[in-house]
Amino acid sequence: MNDRTDWPLCGHAQADAVLARDEQGAITVGQWLHDVQELAARLPADCTHVLNVCRNRYLFLVGLGAGIVSGRVSLQPSSLAPEAVRHLLQHAPRPVCLHDGETEGLEALMPLLAVERQDAAVAEFVPDIPQVPAEQVVSLVFTSGSTGQPVPHAKTWGKLHLNALAEAQLLGLDKGPQACIVGTVPSQHMYGFESVMLLALLAGSSLWTGRPFYPADVAQALASVPQPRMLVTTPVHLRVLVDAGLTYPAVDQLLCATAPLAPALAEQAEAHFGAPLREIYGSTETSQLGVRRPLDGPAWRLFPGVRLEQEGDTTFASGGHVEGRVPMSDLIELVGEEGFILHGRKTDMVNIAGRRSSLAYLNHQLAQVPGIQDGAFFLPQPVDLPGSHAPMVPEVERLCLVVQAPGMTGRQILDGLRPYVEAVFLPRPLIQVERMPRNETGKLPQQALQALYAEHQRQLHAQQAMTLLRWQVPLDHPVFAGHFSGHPVVPGAMLLQRCVEAWRALPQARGQACTIAQAKFLLPCIPGDVLEFRLEPVESPGKPFAAAFRVLRGEDTVASGTLRALPVAETEPA
């Protein structure tokens, strides 16, 4: 099969086979072939590449097919942000943007061409399915750029065919009735391209033309297509679907990729959907390489024809649908001739105080802590701070953690980590966010994590400039004799007293007396705690000077409120 010199444009043998479905019903291969030929005829003669941003999956397939039959190469970046598109233009001098209404603001960078569905009723002649040379480069797929500038990788038509057929075989889609795929991942991204678009086009399946996002939309999409159904999504989206608590139409299998999948989530998903969950492993460079069911264990099964070879610490992938012999960025343990275990990326390895671990392992442990919804460990980079002559270098050999854990304090998060993570790997700093900065494929770009760290450091730098008082609560302070016996707690009045002392050091206060306008006590303080008292002026035109105060223990706020200057008449003796 690998020796074929050409492959058909479509894996469906019959023109009346169903390729896609939408609210109006089934869309056939014959309809698609008409739309492909019509669009190919409209492509500008001088364009060499097409950037396909169609959100409708059927129209995306029309754009893909038109590019292939006319000899153009499809550009598939992981992001359509203007800077990312400008970067890919270095590899494509004369592109045209194919769209279905949303142009992503690209009109300033290249010509636009709308992709449309033609009226099937006017078509009496069904074109033959074109044959495409196996060696024809049909797409340039760009890496995510999570560790640097996105890099293009050429994909040939023959290898993409082998890829789709191998995945269909491993997932059992090559047997039984035609499966319909509902996907929540972008068509342009390698995972969505392979596991939604190519499975439908080349391996006998069909697809839902939309890309549902909200749980109710996913449920409606599943209800709109016949069984057998396959839901293709990411771990982040899967968590949302499970937590929504909806009852979904019957799904025959789930497919996940792009981010680590916690075993607990895999178990919950299988129970909720009543279907087996499989996970795909691969990369833009190698395409898909392995599949596993997480509940069956950590080992992955290689795609048919693919080989892994190890030279020193590097594993090379080749054979099957892999383009050439590709070095891999991950640490791989081979298991027999057809299996492997993934131990994380080489760049994930960290050595702190003589102890070795990997970021992948630490992130896996993070998923075990109750209350933590999402998060990631990473090594921070130097940060430029206001007023500094050189970038601030992070503390030596310390990890940073960005975490999404609603309702948890920093201390609770660290306490939750201790049973799973050695003390040397506990994070400093720990940055809490309402939502992790994952992109639409569920990945965490390194630039986004570093940006959060840089902003945290700048805020910390500014806050430290506002710290007017530091105080370590004495272990033997007499107030603890009655507050409270056996469980000493710092009285709120003592904290407010220190806040007033910090007020007196504020230049804006100019020696004015103050009153407590409002105060909240959020966490208890105990003997030995080291507290910082920070005041920040509050804009209040026409009113006496005021300052917001915060009392911090580490990164946790234990008290907050407002101090306001007393009018002069109230401070003068009667």
Side-chain angles (χ1 to χ4, degrees), residues 184-185 212-215 218 233-242 440:
T184 69
V185 291
F213 180 79
Y214 296 106
V218 172
T233 188
T234 66
V236 174
H237 211 156
L238 189 63
R239 164 58 65 195
V240 174
L241 297 178
V242 170
E440 59 183 355

Side-chain angles (χ1 to χ4, degrees), residues 2 26 36 38 97 100 133 165 179 287 312 380 384 389 411 414 433 463 477 504 527 545 567:
N2 293 18
V36 165
E38 187 276 336
C97 175
D100 56 357
L165 296 178
S287 296
D384 290 316
H389 297 291
R411 175 173 288 186
L414 291 175
V433 295
Q463 289 170 351
H477 197 286
R504 293 169 184 158
F545 173 72

Side-chain angles (χ1 to χ4, degrees), residues 22-86:
D22 61 11
E23 293 83 354
Q24 282 72 50
I27 306 173
T28 65
V29 170
Q31 171 76 59
W32 178 72
L33 290 171
H34 276 288
D35 292 342
V36 165
Q37 298 289 2
E38 187 276 336
L39 178 60
R42 289 193 291 122
L43 287 172
D46 63 343
C47 87
T48 56
H49 296 74
V50 293
L51 175 60
N52 192 340
V53 301
C54 291
R55 294 178 177 271
N56 181 289
R57 295 192 191 276
Y58 171 74
L59 295 180
F60 180 93
L61 285 180
V62 172
L64 176 68
I68 293 172
V69 299
S70 63
R72 274 81 170 195
V73 177
S74 292
L75 302 170
Q76 293 177 223
S78 62
S79 169
L80 293 176
E83 284 306 313
V85 173
R86 287 191 181 93

